[in-house]
Amino acid sequence: YTIVDWSFDEYYPNREAFLMAMAQVVHDEAMDLARAGAKYIQIDEPALSVRPEEMEMAARAFAIVTKGLEATTITHICYGDFAQVFPGLATFPVDMLDLEVTNSNYDLLDLFRKHSFEGYLAMGVVDVHNHEIETVEEVKRGIKLGLEVLPAERLFIDPDCGLKTRTEEEAIAKLRVIATAVKQVKEELGID
């Protein structure tokens, strides 16, 4: 969807035709990855949250991408008006949503309270847009907020987005804080 949204189409008769053709190309690549042994395949869709009127069409395209894949499928979606797209997103044809939750001050978790969601959530608990290294207590607070909404077996903990905007030292420090916080929360709550 993002490739289509950010491209200039001079070939296809309409946006939907372009999207479905691109979905088939991505599907073919995902199948190659699965045949090569990939157990997890993540398709990043930073543009998905900006056009609520196209969620149904985007979901049909994503169903083409994931059809027949034996790998766990994940999509990472960047900032946007999630309240507008969440009902469709909650039923998106993917095993796991990976969302930037920290940057919204965990407000996105309210959408999971309001709407039925049966999948897995990879929840960002460190902000990748600043140089500050979160404390273990801050990250533990975020994890516990997530556990109020989803059971531990459906909640995965990660940074809000990729750490490419951070220095190597900052990225390592943020990941260490995450690992420490996850370990401590598991011990405190008796989670295996």
Side-chain angles (χ1 to χ4, degrees):
Y1 181 85
T2 300
I3 293 170
V4 168
D5 196 55
W6 294 352
S7 296
F8 295 100
D9 173 27
E10 296 178 348
Y11 177 78
Y12 293 93
N14 56 50
R15 188 172 171 87
E16 183 173 0
F18 185 16
L19 180 58
M20 298 309 156
M22 184 59 67
Q24 188 59 55
V25 170
V26 175
H27 168 76
D28 294 346
E29 185 172 334
M31 292 299 284
D32 287 345
L33 289 168
R35 280 190 288 276
K39 301 291 183 211
Y40 301 90
I41 298 176
Q42 180 169 314
I43 309 294
D44 287 359
E45 289 289 4
L48 190 63
S49 62
V50 298
R51 296 181 196 261
E53 71 278 7
E54 293 188 352
M55 278 302 291
E56 185 274 329
M57 182 172 66
R60 283 189 286 117
F62 216 91
I64 291 170
V65 170
T66 59
K67 183 178 181 183
L69 279 176
E70 303 217 356
T72 298
T73 56
I74 307 161
T75 189
H76 171 70
I77 303 165
C78 295
Y79 310 108
D81 188 354
F82 283 102
Q84 292 289 322
V85 297
F86 195 82
L89 197 55
T91 60
F92 214 65
V94 64
D95 298 314
M96 182 184 300
L97 296 177
D98 184 2
L99 302 177
E100 298 170 340
V101 180
T102 303
N103 195 272
S104 72
N105 198 28
Y106 298 94
D107 290 344
L108 284 180
L109 293 175
D110 290 340
L111 295 172
F112 289 88
R113 288 182 182 93
K114 293 177 186 173
H115 301 282
S116 176
F117 178 73
E118 301 302 322
Y120 295 85
L121 172 65
M123 182 180 86
V125 294
V126 295
D127 188 347
V128 300
H129 295 99
N130 68 52
H131 298 284
E132 177 185 332
I133 307 302
E134 292 81 357
T135 67
V136 170
E137 289 306 314
E138 288 171 325
V139 173
K140 284 172 56 177
R141 175 187 165 271
I143 294 168
K144 289 176 180 178
L145 288 171
L147 289 168
E148 290 175 6
V149 179
L150 290 173
E153 62 271 10
R154 290 183 32 222
L155 187 65
F156 291 74
I157 305 302
D158 63 4
D160 260 357
C161 194
L163 292 163
K164 68 180 181 188
T165 61
R166 299 301 92 215
T167 66
E168 181 179 348
E169 294 78 19
E170 290 169 343
I172 291 168
K174 285 179 180 278
L175 291 172
R176 282 194 176 128
V177 167
I178 290 173
T180 300
V182 167
K183 182 178 181 201
Q184 288 182 13
V185 168
K186 284 182 168 185
E187 289 172 357
E188 289 172 16
L189 301 180
I191 299 170
D192 290 329

